[in-house]
Amino acid sequence: MCGIVAYIGSREAYPIILKGLQRLEYRGYDSAGVALLDKELAVYKKMGKVAELESSLIGTNLHAQSGIGHTRWATHGEPSDRNAHPHRSSSGKLAMVHNGIIENFAPIKKELLQKGYEFESDTDTEVLLHFIDDIYQNDANNLEEAVRIALKRIVGAYVIILLDQDNPDTLIAARKGSPLVIGIGKNEHFLASDASPIIEYTKEVVYINDYEMAIVKPDELILKNPGNERITPFITKLDMELAAIEKGGYEHFMLKEIFEQPTAVFDCLRGRLDAKKGTITMGGIDQHLDLLREAKRIIIVGCGTSWHAGLLAEYVLEELCRIPVEVEYASEFRYRNPVINPGDVIIAVSQSGETADTLVALENAKNKGAFIFGVVNVVGSSIARLSQAGAYTHAGPEIGVASTKAFTAQLTVLYMIAIKLGYSKGTLSKERYQHLINELAMVPDKIQDALNEAASIENLAKKHQDARDFLFLGRGYNFPIALEGALKLKEISYIHAEGYPAAEMKHGPIALVEESLPVVFVATRDIYHEKLVSNAREIKARKGQVLAVITENDDLFEEIADDTISVPAADELIAPLISVVPLQLLAYYTGLAKGLDVDKPRNLAKSVTVE
Ligand code: F6R
């Protein structure tokens, strides 16, 4: 979604802002812009990539020591130069960038039109800017007060940053529902939607909370609440290296992140799972073990890939802990009136920790008294902070738009929770508990083995790159992996793909089967194996092409399938952590073969901070 960067200090602002916008490109956007202040305010914006903005500015005098920048992902108004941010006030003295959606922009716009304001764009942002400017001109002592008054009337989500020609040494920022981080340098400050534009300048940051306002000068950061009272900024040290957000020799972030999975899973297990001692230590779980053990019901909430991790966790938690589990799409959960009873525990699954639907669903559930447990990747994110307890996934920054290593890390955390909880409840025997711990400890090496098949998966991708549709089938623990395989392929290659429980095929999707349809079976060895073999025969009998992810040395499937991809043997409960890897590679190489931008697929945003 939209990305925001700003700088105030003694360096040249433009290169810092430009680089910051490039670092935020992964979030998804369709236009970019900057406003720079050097005596006079100058605004430059362009539809398209940050690189296009950059080349359009070659030869322009861009000297300034403060500025704001933005990458826009269109919500109100088509992607275009005029709808790009920053927007400017009528006087030309104020510039503003905004991330989020102003829901009540229409009545405010009507009032402003009646007062004679003219609009140069179709955006809700310009409405908010004119609204602030109107209050600034007529009813407030200063810009800070104008922003405070204006925001009291605003319904929706926002992060805004304003630059004021009359107050060149001050940036005003405010947030509600969209993220904002401020990096603290020596006589300089860096503002951004996440830490990636900041990390190379400082590791000291302040995460701004909802309803807080920041008055940012080169040498001072003042935080205030809506009652205009000062709050002490809580400074956090970033636990992230610059290398983690660079490609490190890989052609794409997605490939790098797929190949980082042995390390990501290892990092997630590290310090928690001790196979020798047979222990799983997780602070967030240990402190709330009684509450989790006695949970009447667990409700898992997430979106997209995180929802798929939740679906698999449902199977695993019910099997090992005998607690009823429901998995909810956050976007549905937030709007229907779900029954939440005392004793219900909500597990929120989110890579970014900023997904708007998940965030609001959790806020609603928390207001109804539910206990929120977060499984989140981005440290300090909104969902992490809203959760009453949690476990970080420690996968490191995920830049590729398609989620890969975050998924396997989410599963690793959810499996550890289920195994620990099951053993503590007595629903999991000591032998099986130790066996599953041993199996989890071996996952990083087994993922590495699965990655060694990359070259043959690339060939398979080339073979099927022109397919119009794909079907992904799996049963039991591998059904969520079939869904995930289909989602990855859709996102990255734009090929229509459906994931189905293999047995459901006969209830409809089998009608699609013809010679040109590749059907991917997620068929690692488990109790359903024979049944899956029959399903594959049914596809072959109708001339479909069978591709299968199988456990090594599965002669039966090798005989039926047109192509197979082997992964190392694992306990059937743990196998999905490994069987998903070839499907991620299949999606990657298919997108690559089709010449698509796999790190920034069309229309998608990395973190969906609007509904
Ligand atoms: C798919 C993908 C999305 C996200 C979804 C939730 O590859 O990345 O489906 O999984 O938008 O995002 P988070 O996990 O950040 O809440």
Side-chain angles (χ1 to χ4, degrees):
M1 295 270 111
C2 309
I4 283 181
V5 191
Y7 174 79
I8 189 157
S10 52
R11 304 191 212 200
E12 282 297 331
Y14 174 70
I16 294 173
I17 293 170
L18 187 79
K19 202 170 197 188
L21 293 179
Q22 284 159 346
R23 294 242 187 263
L24 292 179
E25 282 190 298
Y26 78 94
R27 296 167 70 90
Y29 71 105
D30 41 56
S31 49
V34 290
L36 299 167
L37 182 52
D38 176 42
K39 295 189 196 82
E40 298 232 320
L41 193 60
V43 175
Y44 309 98
K45 45 197 202 170
K46 196 131 196 73
M47 184 174 143
K49 300 282 179 200
V50 175
E52 287 167 53
L53 174 73
E54 184 183 12
S55 36
S56 73
L57 293 180
I58 292 171
T60 311
N61 175 10
L62 300 167
H63 171 69
Q65 289 169 331
S66 64
I68 56 182
H70 191 265
T71 47
R72 172 174 188 256
W73 192 86
T75 52
H76 287 83
E78 56 171 16
S80 63
D81 288 358
R82 67 190 191 92
N83 283 335
H85 301 208
H87 290 284
R88 237 191 224 260
S89 62
S90 316
S91 63
K93 288 186 172 183
L94 291 182
M96 186 172 94
V97 288
H98 165 222
N99 177 6
I101 288 187
I102 308 302
E103 288 171 19
N104 60 338
F105 78 98
I108 299 176
K109 184 168 184 176
K110 205 168 155 195
E111 286 169 26
L112 291 166
L113 284 167
Q114 277 161 3
K115 287 185 176 184
Y117 279 88
E118 285 176 10
F119 290 83
E120 288 176 2
S121 77
D122 311 316
T123 64
D124 51 346
T125 305
E126 195 188 5
V127 175
L128 177 57
L129 176 59
H130 287 324
F131 184 46
I132 291 171
D133 190 34
D134 188 55
I135 297 170
Y136 186 26
Q137 303 301 329
N138 302 305
D139 304 311
N141 293 321
N142 53 40
L143 181 60
E144 180 196 327
E145 193 183 344
V147 171
R148 190 173 304 111
I149 296 170
L151 292 182
K152 286 201 177 123
R153 230 189 110 186
I154 293 304
V155 180
Y158 53 81
V159 161
I160 52 169
I161 307 180
L162 286 117
L163 194 57
D164 178 4
Q165 188 175 299
D166 291 338
N167 292 290
D169 65 341
T170 309
L171 295 172
I172 306 268
R175 85 156 256 183
K176 190 203 142 209
S178 296
L180 179 64
V181 192
I182 301 184
I184 301 170
K186 212 165 170 227
N187 291 326
E188 58 185 353
H189 285 101
F190 307 82
L191 295 81
S193 302
D194 66 39
S196 56
I198 296 176
I199 182 82
E200 63 194 281
Y201 307 107
T202 176
K203 289 207 165 179
E204 295 206 327
V205 297
V206 175
Y207 290 96
I208 306 304
N209 291 309
D210 276 352
Y211 302 106
E212 287 177 1
M213 236 173 106
I215 299 103
V216 192
K217 299 171 187 288
D219 54 356
E220 195 179 18
L221 168 62
I222 300 169
L223 278 194
K224 288 193 175 176
N225 66 16
N228 197 19
E229 292 157 335
R230 279 179 87 138
I231 318 166
T232 310
F234 179 74
I235 299 173
T236 315
K237 262 223 143 31
L238 282 177
D239 180 21
M240 189 201 285
E241 295 305 325
L242 187 59
I245 54 167
E246 297 194 322
K247 282 191 204 151
Y250 284 89
E251 199 178 340
H252 293 101
F253 281 111
M254 183 177 174
L255 190 64
K256 176 184 176 229
E257 287 157 7
I258 292 173
F259 274 83
E260 275 174 350
Q261 288 179 106
T263 318
V265 172
F266 183 81
D267 286 346
C268 185
L269 295 171
R270 191 156 44 118
R272 289 169 165 168
L273 182 134
D274 187 327
K276 276 205 190 103
K277 287 193 194 143
T279 53
I280 295 175
T281 314
M282 298 173 89
I285 298 288
D286 294 327
Q287 282 163 24
H288 300 279
L289 202 55
D290 287 346
L291 186 130
L292 286 162
R293 214 171 14 217
E294 276 142 37
K296 298 265 180 315
R297 188 170 62 140
I298 293 176
I299 305 168
I300 304 180
V301 181
C303 299
T305 289
S306 296
W307 186 89
H308 293 158
L311 185 64
L312 183 48
E314 176 187 24
Y315 284 49
V316 176
L317 279 161
E318 290 201 339
E319 169 69 23
L320 302 184
C321 310
R322 311 309 300 151
I323 300 172
V325 180
E326 283 165 29
V327 189
E328 297 273 358
Y329 287 110
S331 53
E332 289 295 313
F333 189 68
R334 66 180 280 193
Y335 283 117
R336 62 188 189 77
N337 188 9
V339 177
I340 296 172
N341 295 314
D344 287 347
V345 170
I346 308 254
I347 299 185
V349 186
S350 176
Q351 188 285 127
S352 62
E354 300 294 348
T355 301
D357 282 327
T358 311
L359 192 58
V360 178
L362 298 176
E363 278 165 359
N364 294 349
K366 199 172 173 185
N367 290 339
K368 289 185 177 172
F371 182 84
I372 313 287
F373 189 95
V375 176
V376 175
N377 194 37
V378 177
V379 176
S381 56
S382 301
I383 294 174
R385 283 180 298 145
L386 179 127
S387 303
Q388 284 130 307
Y392 281 117
T393 46
H394 296 310
E398 191 178 68
I399 310 287
V401 164
S403 190
T404 52
K405 64 174 180 172
F407 178 69
T408 39
Q410 286 166 346
L411 289 179
T412 306
V413 165
L414 292 164
Y415 274 71
M416 282 194 284
I417 295 173
I419 295 168
K420 186 175 172 75
L421 196 55
Y423 184 50
S424 133
K425 275 194 80 178
T427 46
L428 178 62
S429 71
K430 179 146 189 23
E431 293 67 39
R432 182 122 174 88
Y433 168 77
Q434 182 62 53
H435 170 71
L436 289 175
I437 284 188
N438 294 344
E439 283 278 322
L440 257 188
M442 287 189 281
V443 167
D445 286 346
K446 291 184 182 177
I447 291 182
Q448 188 55 58
D449 289 347
L451 289 169
N452 293 340
E453 297 298 308
S456 51
I457 298 171
E458 183 167 11
N459 288 335
L460 263 182
K462 284 181 185 152
K463 179 170 162 188
H464 294 290
Q465 71 181 81
D466 295 322
R468 199 191 53 191
D469 309 285
F470 260 75
L471 208 53
F472 286 76
L473 302 177
R475 277 176 183 247
Y477 302 120
N478 273 328
F479 163 54
I481 300 303
L483 292 181
E484 177 60 7
L487 178 64
K488 285 291 91 94
L489 192 73
K490 271 187 273 219
E491 286 181 295
I492 300 304
S493 72
Y494 314 152
I495 295 177
H496 168 246
E498 302 244 16
Y500 259 91
E504 270 293 303
M505 177 188 70
K506 290 202 276 298
H507 301 283
I510 198 162
L512 298 172
V513 177
E514 55 184 5
E515 231 167 304
S516 61
L517 182 80
V519 182
V520 180
F521 279 84
V522 191
T524 48
R525 214 173 267 120
D526 56 19
I527 50 163
Y528 313 103
H529 200 58
E530 295 290 317
K531 295 187 188 304
L532 227 66
V533 168
S534 309
N535 294 144
R537 288 211 168 97
E538 286 157 4
I539 299 290
K540 277 312 321 164
R542 285 156 187 86
K543 300 204 165 23
Q545 302 183 49
V546 171
L547 279 75
V549 176
I550 58 167
T551 310
E552 55 200 356
N553 304 322
D554 179 352
D555 301 339
L556 212 55
F557 240 101
E558 268 168 7
E559 234 170 68
I560 312 165
D562 297 271
D563 292 289
T564 56
I565 307 162
S566 294
V567 292
D571 184 284
E572 64 175 31
L573 197 115
I574 304 291
L577 268 163
I578 304 151
S579 59
V580 71
V581 173
L583 303 186
Q584 297 167 338
L585 287 168
L586 183 68
Y588 171 78
Y589 285 121
T590 309
L592 192 71
K594 296 181 80 169
L596 301 172
D597 187 349
V598 291
D599 277 339
K600 293 180 223 102
R602 70 181 177 206
N603 304 338
L604 292 177
K606 179 64 183 163
S607 67
V608 183
T609 51
V610 294
E611 51 170 311

